[in-house]
Amino acid sequence: MIHLLDETTSTNDEARRGDYAEGDIIWAENQTAGRGQRGHAWSSSRGLDATFSIVAKPSFIPAARQFAISRITALALADTFAAFGIAARIKWTNDIYVGDRKITGVLIENDLAGDMLARSVIGIGININSRAFDPSLPNPTSMAAECGREFDRREVVERLHGNFTALYASLKKGGEEDIHRRYDSLLYHLDEYHTFALPDGVRFEASVLGTEPSGRLILRHADGTVRAYAFREMEFVLKK
Ligand code: BTN
């Protein structure tokens, strides 16, 4: 069920506060404190984009395999964009890019019960009909900017919801390997050499090979060495 709110702080906060059922979507027209990854804020334009959170209760997923939720979310988004004629790729962990521009951000917040997941709140901000962007953002785009036409926001969110639900069911039925393979095949910079940076600023050239089951990103360095990186152990250096 889609719960449509006019305004909230952050749909992730609302999803965690309320008593929502598995599969529910909390969609707010405006967030007063939208949150992004790495402590950044997330802003979007009222009436033009979509900011919402999906509630899942994946008690069948061990905590050590929680990256599976990132995988199905990113794949559901890529499948959705493909359905609207937009070829998107997944910038690890789950940013969605068209070329070198970001069209969607994802913030997943998991609660554990012992060694298993109990609840996953999957916050998604899709740039749909915006054409002007916050100048502080490095490389934004939107569906409208890519295609030169407006989109029906509800159709986009419902399509994404359908794709997510199908992938979630497949994960539950043991389809993790296929999901992992499809996710890796859509990775941004797959098999192409680009610049990355370590937390101390040191840059290096590497190509993306795929992900480990745990979710770590596997890179091949220019000297041929292969190494897996966890979140925050390196970052992509974006083209301006
Ligand atoms: C990022 O790319 O930094 C992640 C952005 C995630 C934004 C979405 S909008 C809906 C949900 N509510 C939030 O406060 N954040 C996520």
Side-chain angles (χ1 to χ4, degrees):
M1 174 178 180
I2 295 183
H3 303 265
L4 193 54
L5 312 176
D6 181 61
E7 186 166 282
T8 187
T9 49
S10 148
T11 57
N12 273 30
D13 294 344
E14 175 56 31
R16 291 161 71 89
R17 259 196 308 266
D19 183 21
Y20 293 103
E22 171 148 273
D24 278 359
I25 286 193
I26 297 87
W27 178 357
E29 277 296 6
N30 191 42
Q31 298 188 116
T32 53
R35 291 186 279 116
Q37 288 175 17
R38 302 173 194 250
H40 292 126
W42 182 264
S43 66
S44 72
S45 308
R46 179 187 273 276
L48 292 178
D49 300 320
T51 49
F52 58 95
S53 301
I54 305 175
V55 176
K57 304 201 173 164
S59 54
F60 61 97
I61 301 180
R65 293 287 179 133
Q66 58 188 281
F67 195 73
I69 295 291
S70 282
R71 285 202 180 96
I72 61 169
T73 303
L75 273 180
L77 283 159
D79 289 347
T80 301
F81 290 123
F84 290 101
I86 299 171
R89 298 197 72 94
I90 302 162
K91 178 171 160 281
W92 181 82
T93 52
N94 46 29
D95 281 348
I96 307 298
Y97 268 52
V98 180
D100 292 314
R101 299 193 169 276
K102 178 165 166 171
I103 194 164
T104 294
V106 175
L107 181 67
I108 298 176
E109 296 178 311
N110 291 326
D111 295 326
L112 305 182
D115 291 343
M116 306 298 281
L117 285 185
R119 183 180 58 183
S120 229
V121 168
I122 300 138
I124 300 175
I126 308 181
N127 296 336
I128 300 183
N129 291 322
S130 275
R131 304 236 191 179
F133 303 98
D134 180 340
S136 69
L137 296 174
N139 53 354
T141 190
S142 68
M143 295 176 71
E146 291 301 319
C147 300
R149 71 170 178 95
E150 303 237 310
F151 290 84
D152 178 331
R153 293 182 303 142
R154 187 145 190 135
E155 201 184 325
V156 175
V157 173
E158 284 178 352
R159 174 76 71 137
L160 183 268
H161 193 212
N163 288 337
F164 179 87
T165 304
L167 284 159
Y168 188 75
S170 150
L171 186 62
K172 209 170 187 172
K173 277 193 295 188
E176 190 170 356
E177 244 176 64
D178 184 52
I179 287 166
H180 185 160
R181 190 185 46 72
R182 282 198 59 220
Y183 172 94
D184 282 4
S185 74
L186 286 172
L187 284 169
Y188 179 66
H189 289 355
L190 184 70
D191 294 331
E192 289 172 3
Y193 278 92
H194 289 277
T195 309
F196 294 81
L198 297 171
D200 62 7
V202 170
R203 292 183 171 203
F204 61 96
E205 297 294 306
S207 70
V208 169
L209 290 185
T211 53
E212 292 184 331
S214 66
R216 293 200 307 171
L217 184 70
I218 307 165
L219 295 183
R220 185 197 302 280
H221 291 243
D223 66 2
T225 54
V226 172
R227 205 200 127 171
Y229 291 84
F231 194 57
R232 294 182 204 280
E233 286 184 349
M234 60 80 206
E235 61 183 27
F236 292 70
V237 175
L238 298 173
K239 292 189 194 113
K240 297 280 172 208

